[in-house]
């Protein structure tokens, strides 16, 4: 038995187990399948970039682009404290339908954008753009933000 560190233990661990009997030795083996849930930032954040969420994140897994934030899915511990902080409702669990593309989107940009841990003012047109559809195609920028 190997003791795991707190970093290795994810709060969102969901697992199921299945016992398989080895008929030749009458031994049983237990297989555990697990998956980790994460939160993602979707296109509702684009052109708004509220940063209320970064102040409450206990693991600093938010990364800043020029006009949106993303969450690194491998760093998120699924605590959920960021979700209610977002005025644009842009933070969603990856367990919702059709979130795979957003998990990969968040992963891609979190690997090239700087980490952000302090709250900043939203973008100037945030209130005007809030709730608008098609923001990924209209406004998204791959440029990194300042971080900090």
């Amino acid at each position: 038995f190997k003791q795991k560190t707190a970093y290795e233990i994810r709060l969102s661990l969901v697992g199921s187990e299945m016992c398989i009997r080895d008929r030749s030795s009458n031994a049983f083996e237990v297989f555990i399948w697990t998956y980790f849930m994460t939160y993602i930032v979707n296109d509702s954040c684009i052109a708004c970039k509220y940063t209320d969420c970064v102040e409450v994140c206990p693991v600093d897994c938010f990364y800043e682009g020029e006009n949106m934030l993303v969450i690194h899915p491998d760093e998120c511990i699924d605590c959920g404290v960021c979700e209610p902080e977002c005025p644009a409702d842009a933070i969603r669990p990856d367990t919702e339908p059709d979130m795979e593309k957003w998990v990969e989107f968040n992963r891609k940009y979190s690997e090239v954008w700087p980490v952000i841990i302090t709250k900043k003012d939203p973008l100037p047109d945030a209130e005007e753009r809030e709730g608008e559809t098609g923001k990924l195609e209209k406004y998204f920028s791959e440029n990194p933000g300042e971080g900090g």
Side-chain angles (χ1 to χ4, degrees):
F1 175 75
K2 177 188 172 226
Q3 188 171 1
K4 295 186 180 284
T5 65
Y7 181 76
E8 293 173 302
I9 299 172
R10 305 276 300 262
L11 296 176
S12 60
L13 181 64
V14 177
S16 62
E17 61 182 55
M18 179 174 85
C19 293
I20 300 203
R21 182 174 169 211
D22 180 347
R23 293 184 188 270
S24 63
S25 67
N26 258 354
F28 287 87
E29 290 186 45
V30 176
F31 296 92
I32 299 175
W33 286 276
T34 61
Y35 72 90
F36 300 105
M37 190 179 109
T38 187
Y39 281 84
I40 58 87
V41 179
N42 63 28
D43 59 344
S44 295
C45 183
I46 298 171
C48 292
K49 199 167 82 168
Y50 293 104
T51 57
D52 307 66
C53 52
V54 303
E55 280 197 320
V56 298
C57 180
V59 293
D60 301 335
C61 65
F62 281 89
Y63 292 80
E64 184 183 15
E66 181 178 35
N67 66 356
M68 78 172 295
L69 304 176
V70 293
I71 294 173
H72 195 301
D74 297 332
E75 295 173 4
C76 175
I77 59 170
D78 180 33
C79 64
V81 297
C82 59
E83 186 179 16
E85 296 298 318
C86 180
D89 196 31
I91 300 172
R92 310 300 311 155
D94 74 340
T95 53
E96 292 184 357
D98 303 319
M99 287 293 145
E100 297 85 12
K101 78 172 191 172
W102 288 109
V103 171
E104 291 312 310
F105 181 94
N106 278 248
R107 181 184 316 281
K108 176 181 177 179
Y109 290 103
S110 65
E111 291 176 357
V112 294
W113 289 349
V115 70
I116 178 172
I117 59 172
T118 55
K119 184 177 176 177
K120 298 179 180 180
D121 290 334
L123 296 177
D125 295 334
E127 287 185 22
E128 180 184 324
R129 300 277 183 243
E130 196 173 323
E132 189 176 329
T133 59
K135 290 172 28 170
L136 181 64
E137 297 79 17
K138 292 180 199 173
Y139 308 117
F140 176 68
S141 167
E142 291 187 347
N143 297 328
E146 296 176 3

